[in-house]
Amino acid sequence: MLGAIYPICDFLKDGKPEVKIRKNRLTGAQSKLKLSERRFMRALGMRVVREDSGQKKKGKQSGSALCRKALWQWLFTRIETTKNNPPLVFQYGEERMSPSENLRRRKKGGTPVKLARQRVIARCVRELFKELCAIVQS
């Protein structure tokens, strides 16, 4: 999995994450496009690429299937089990929460299990990107 993201500098522009700001087409408000983060997530197989054709709108996973499987296995063996939870804590709005607590809350809230798992993995990948960028920049 490390080979898919090894030169982290390939995802950065001038040593910093590439962010593009544009106006939202519907509301006219400014929105950020985190391009470096998107490329990083795609390399790990956690991005959906839309394929619209006429009336059909569908998306499919892109990137490394091997990395995606490794992330799912990590979720099953480390996050969902109560014994081996890693000491990860992320900021969710006002409160701080571990990925396992976030997953439990999503399941209890009625989110489908597969979707809840996918959202937790995506959040962990985003946080990994932030941490790696902070290491590179320091």
Side-chain angles (χ1 to χ4, degrees):
M1 192 162 96
L2 207 54
I5 60 170
Y6 169 61
I8 189 71
C9 298
D10 287 352
F11 299 103
L12 307 177
K13 184 176 185 179
D14 299 329
K16 294 183 180 181
E18 185 178 358
V19 178
K20 198 177 203 179
I21 298 174
R22 71 166 192 191
K23 280 190 174 182
N24 189 314
R25 284 183 262 165
L26 300 175
T27 63
Q30 300 248 335
S31 59
K32 289 183 180 179
L33 301 175
K34 299 177 180 179
L35 301 177
S36 294
E37 186 179 285
R38 289 180 182 183
R39 285 192 294 264
F40 183 80
M41 290 184 73
R42 186 172 182 181
L44 290 177
M46 292 306 298
R47 287 295 298 169
V48 175
V49 175
R50 290 185 58 183
E51 292 182 354
D52 296 345
S53 173
Q55 297 293 320
K56 294 182 180 180
K57 291 186 178 183
K58 61 180 180 177
K60 68 174 189 171
Q61 293 280 354
S62 67
S64 172
L66 186 63
C67 291
R68 189 169 41 253
K69 287 176 188 175
L71 286 167
W72 278 90
Q73 288 174 347
W74 175 75
L75 178 92
F76 288 132
T77 59
R78 300 288 291 180
I79 303 295
E80 286 208 55
T81 60
T82 55
K83 291 181 184 177
N84 298 327
N85 280 340
L88 300 173
V89 178
F90 301 140
Q91 190 74 26
Y92 289 94
E94 296 289 321
E95 61 182 309
R96 295 171 56 81
M97 191 183 326
S98 69
S100 57
E101 179 62 28
N102 184 12
L103 184 62
R104 276 190 227 105
R105 284 190 184 182
R106 285 181 184 273
K107 286 180 182 179
K108 285 182 183 176
T111 305
V113 178
K114 190 173 179 180
L115 180 62
R117 289 174 179 152
Q118 189 170 6
R119 295 246 170 101
V120 169
I121 290 172
R123 178 60 186 232
C124 291
V125 169
R126 280 190 210 99
E127 292 295 327
L128 172 65
F129 180 70
K130 287 180 188 175
E131 292 292 323
L132 289 174
C133 286
I135 290 169
V136 168
Q137 291 174 357
S138 62

